[in-house]
Amino acid sequence: MRTRSILLSFIALFSALGLYGAQVSAAAPVNGSIQTCGTNQSLCVYFNSDNKGSRVGIYGKVHNYDANPTMCSSQGCSKYSFQTSGSGYGQYIKNNAASAYNADFHPYRVYYNSGWTGPVDEFDPKGYGTYFGNLIRTYNQNASQQNMCGEC
């Protein structure tokens, strides 16, 4: 009887650990993945000023808006583009974004150049300071973004 009780305890423990691990991995978006604006700690990038026009949510670090590594095939990688209806729909993001909204709890930066270099616009964590607004240093001259959370 005692052996059966111990066995059931181990089964319950491993089941709980397996379920917990699955929840963690399923919830973690991949750098550069397209997200729904306002969710999943994404940076929502807008075609027009004042957070208007077509938009797209992108999670984490993007080395170059000209190539989306999460959307690669044997023909190459597609470019990041504005996804929702409105002014700018279908246009490429690189050098076309005018404003942004940070839905993360860490700062995000938008850079002038690919590879996270050059002038930068920074957006505070969601709910603090300037977490949305117009791009100033990178207005219609933007090439990359970075979530400033360290090793997330």
Side-chain angles (χ1 to χ4, degrees):
M1 188 67 149
R2 181 171 161 81
T3 305
R4 183 174 180 221
S5 175
I6 291 171
L7 180 61
L8 290 174
S9 295
F10 275 115
I11 291 171
L13 175 64
F14 288 125
S15 295
L17 290 175
L19 179 60
Y20 176 76
Q23 288 174 341
V24 171
S25 63
V30 176
N31 276 323
S33 61
I34 303 296
Q35 304 290 313
T36 301
C37 282
T39 62
N40 294 328
Q41 298 82 42
S42 64
L43 180 69
C44 190
V45 183
Y46 292 81
F47 183 76
N48 290 339
S49 298
D50 301 321
N51 300 106
K52 298 197 185 310
S54 187
R55 65 187 181 273
V56 62
I58 306 172
Y59 172 79
K61 299 174 183 179
V62 174
H63 186 267
N64 183 353
Y65 283 143
D66 258 351
N68 182 347
T70 65
M71 300 285 292
C72 294
S73 69
S74 60
Q75 280 74 42
C77 302
S78 63
K79 297 180 181 187
Y80 288 93
S81 61
F82 294 100
Q83 304 283 313
T84 64
S85 62
S87 179
Y89 171 76
Q91 296 291 314
Y92 295 130
I93 294 172
K94 188 169 184 174
N95 298 330
N96 280 320
S99 59
Y101 173 93
N102 181 3
D104 197 356
F105 300 106
H106 298 93
Y108 260 97
R109 290 183 180 167
V110 176
Y111 293 86
Y112 188 89
N113 296 320
S114 298
W116 313 298
T117 63
V120 64
D121 284 306
E122 185 166 321
F123 294 90
D124 295 323
K126 182 179 180 177
Y128 297 94
T130 308
Y131 63 99
F132 65 94
N134 295 335
L135 299 171
I136 298 168
R137 294 171 192 87
T138 62
Y139 180 86
N140 286 343
Q141 292 295 320
N142 32 66
S144 58
Q145 75 177 44
Q146 189 172 30
N147 182 320
M148 304 307 293
C149 67
E151 295 300 318
C152 58

